[in-house]
Amino acid sequence: RKEVEQDPGPFNVPEGATVAFNCTYSNSASQSFFWYRQDCRKEPKLLMSVYSSGNEDGRFTAQLNRASQYISLLIRDSKLSDSATYLCVVRRPSGGYNKLIFGAGTRLAVHP
Amino acid sequence: SQTIHQWPATLVQPVGSPLSLECTVEGTSNPNLYWYRQAAGRGLQLLFYSVGIGQISSEVPQNLSASRPQDRQFILSSKKLLLSDSGFYLCAWSVGGAETQYFGPGTRLLVL
């Protein structure tokens, strides 16, 4: 079982739709949580951190449920430019430093 | 501002040939440096990380090695490539133990 699990998708949605991605993690020592965005054949870029109280950045809302070890990302009013792969990432201690563990990503395709 | 460079951008190599990928960071001192590999449809896998010159930690046993000859230079090498070494190699940096890692543009390696 992967330490960070995501539905690979693809999620095909029309412009303006609301779409939600889920992620689960298995290691309870995980301390910090993030969503990264990766465009096709490009490097991942940090989209947003995820806080226990939930946080919002424009059209993007991230939520964390530590008890269930579950993270979500909600995108409202989808734009064509939101088409990308969204990576769920957790950070946990490993051998004296903090390590990032990446999910395989959920692919989003927004169509006109 | 900080920038991270990787080269080459793409590489096609025969099985058994050597490999050298280079990563340099500008605009910061004493960064933590990381090498990741992303295979098709899979999450990023941490290969090596370094907290300083000459200090390399390996995450998984493999056909690759890493070196950090200068503060802002990180090199990934192999003496003899295998088919399974094909993938997207990403270098990343962070400020000390900071949570956020920033990725370079990556090198796409195809071993034939």
Side-chain angles (χ1 to χ4, degrees), chain B residues 24-62:
Chain B
T24 58
V25 181
E26 296 176 357
T28 187
S29 295
N30 197 30
N32 283 5
L33 297 173
Y34 312 85
W35 277 112
Y36 289 87
R37 175 170 60 207
Q38 187 176 35
R42 303 185 68 176
L44 275 70
Q45 180 187 32
L46 180 65
L47 303 175
F48 300 95
Y49 71 92
S50 170
V51 298
I53 295 174
Q55 300 178 62
I56 310 293
S57 296
S58 173
E59 278 292 306
V60 293
Q62 60 203 304

Side-chain angles (χ1 to χ4, degrees), chain A:
Chain A
R1 184 188 172 197
K2 295 177 185 174
E3 187 170 342
V4 178
E5 298 257 23
Q6 295 182 251
D7 180 342
F11 285 61
N12 293 298
V13 303
E15 276 185 289
T18 295
V19 61
F21 305 140
N22 303 322
C23 167
T24 57
Y25 61 95
S26 59
N27 195 319
S28 58
S30 300
Q31 298 172 334
S32 307
F33 309 89
F34 311 90
W35 285 100
Y36 275 70
R37 170 193 168 127
Q38 185 173 23
D39 292 300
C40 187
R41 303 181 72 82
K42 298 287 189 181
E43 74 273 24
K45 293 183 179 178
L46 179 66
L47 178 66
M48 59 195 303
S49 301
V50 187
Y51 303 118
S52 296
S53 55
N55 49 298
E56 191 173 301
D57 183 1
R59 298 180 293 109
F60 299 84
T61 300
Q63 301 230 315
L64 167 66
N65 185 322
R66 285 186 186 268
S68 302
Q69 297 186 181
Y70 170 94
I71 306 159
S72 66
L73 177 68
L74 182 78
I75 304 176
R76 291 182 299 278
D77 188 23
S78 298
K79 310 291 184 192
L80 293 175
S81 57
D82 293 334
S83 297
T85 297
Y86 290 83
L87 308 178
C88 177
V89 184
V90 306
R91 183 173 185 252
R92 63 162 172 81
S94 174
Y97 94 109
N98 288 311
K99 178 178 177 179
L100 293 187
I101 311 295
F102 286 78
T106 298
R107 194 153 63 88
L108 171 66
V110 182
H111 57 83

